[in-house]
Amino acid sequence: MRTLAGNGEAGFADGQGAAARFNFPTALARDKDGSILVADQCNNAVRRVTMEGAVSTVAGNREADYADGEGAAARFNWPTAVVVDKEGTILVADCKNKRLRKIVGRQVTTLAGGSEAGTADGAGAGARFEKPYALVLDERGRLLVAEADRADTLRVAEALLAPPAWMGPVDAAAEAAAEAHEEKAQQIEQLLGDYGKLVEDGELADGVFVVEGERFPLHHNVLAVRSEYFRARFKSGMQDGGSKEVCYEDVSASAFRVLLRFLYAGDLGAATALEEPTAGIRQGQSDGVLSWRVFQTGCGQC
């Protein structure tokens, strides 16, 4: 362990080794040339330190403010994080300015955010942040942003960046597979969301369930595809096959809603809200496909 630059005394000065001064350096990032970028928070500047200990200022000049510009003409207000991609593009979390800043060479511009705090997603100045304070650049060049007042949220900024140099070359095939997987997952999520709407929306229904006096839209063909139990009831010549109303007298409405949400959208989250999530419903396994069956006690046609 050795001291690369600075001597424990707060200040603002470029120089060699112990002659340099920092004031609350909070984050480091390794640039492609091996030098270290420093978010010098209380000096409101971004600094660079070579492996020989030479310190220079990339942008900012100790004065807290907001301004794009080159080098010392730029202004930051509590830069708390810094990352750099393999092309040398620097990103800064400008915490009190509620913005993400971008540095190319020594030219500072604003990537996203505005003067007003907020949570809005959007492009450029249309986005809003609550004190961005931590940044990570992932292997796909996406900028991940954590905010001081939103500990439960991680934002993603698509900034057309290259991954950090230390990550090495990107596996093109793996990246393409990951993108395809993500796209497929989004499509499935959208599809299940659309099917989930059928539980409450009766516009496309061709019948109705009546459970504890509560009415649920009934879609014979959808349920016949999703459940062996309902396929048997609706497609085997039983009277229910053409029934517009099907009643379940000894099943709770809340449990039945959980059943429908699972069958339509694969959603069992509501089950945790039930005191007896298995009341009126039992789980079965048939041909390797998960199915849910309603106890047939007391059920029949209205």
Side-chain angles (χ1 to χ4, degrees), residues 9-195:
E9 180 181 333
F12 180 69
D14 291 342
Q16 182 69 37
R21 296 290 183 273
F22 301 90
N23 193 355
F24 208 60
T26 57
L28 307 175
R30 185 180 180 184
D31 204 350
K32 62 180 181 178
D33 62 1
S35 63
I36 303 299
L37 294 163
V38 182
D40 195 357
Q41 179 174 314
C42 292
N43 276 329
N44 301 298
V46 176
R47 319 288 294 281
R48 184 186 298 277
V49 186
T50 69
M51 287 296 97
E52 291 74 36
V55 177
S56 60
T57 299
V58 178
N61 76 344
R62 200 175 189 178
E63 180 182 338
D65 204 343
Y66 167 71
D68 289 338
E70 186 172 355
R75 296 291 183 273
F76 300 91
N77 194 350
W78 274 37
T80 56
V82 59
V83 296
V84 59
D85 75 358
K86 68 179 180 181
E87 303 299 331
T89 300
I90 302 167
L91 285 306
V92 182
D94 196 359
C95 185
K96 287 191 175 182
N97 276 329
K98 300 173 282 292
R99 293 174 170 95
L100 304 179
R101 313 292 292 280
K102 179 178 179 180
I103 307 176
V104 178
R106 298 184 68 221
Q107 185 68 40
V108 179
T109 57
T110 299
L111 177 66
S115 59
E116 298 178 357
T119 61
D121 292 335
R128 291 291 179 268
F129 296 95
E130 296 274 358
K131 298 179 181 177
Y133 78 95
L135 304 176
V136 172
L137 194 60
D138 74 5
E139 73 281 358
R140 295 173 59 187
R142 298 178 302 182
L143 185 65
L144 309 182
V145 184
E147 298 168 78
D149 294 336
R150 302 184 69 197
D152 61 341
T153 303
L154 187 65
R155 311 283 291 281
V156 178
E158 299 285 356
L160 301 178
L161 302 168
W166 58 265
M167 286 186 175
V170 177
D171 185 328
E175 183 177 26
E179 290 178 352
H181 178 77
E182 183 175 342
E183 182 179 359
K184 184 176 181 180
Q186 291 174 348
Q187 292 173 346
I188 292 173
E189 183 178 0
Q190 179 64 49
L191 178 63
L192 292 176
D194 290 341
Y195 269 98

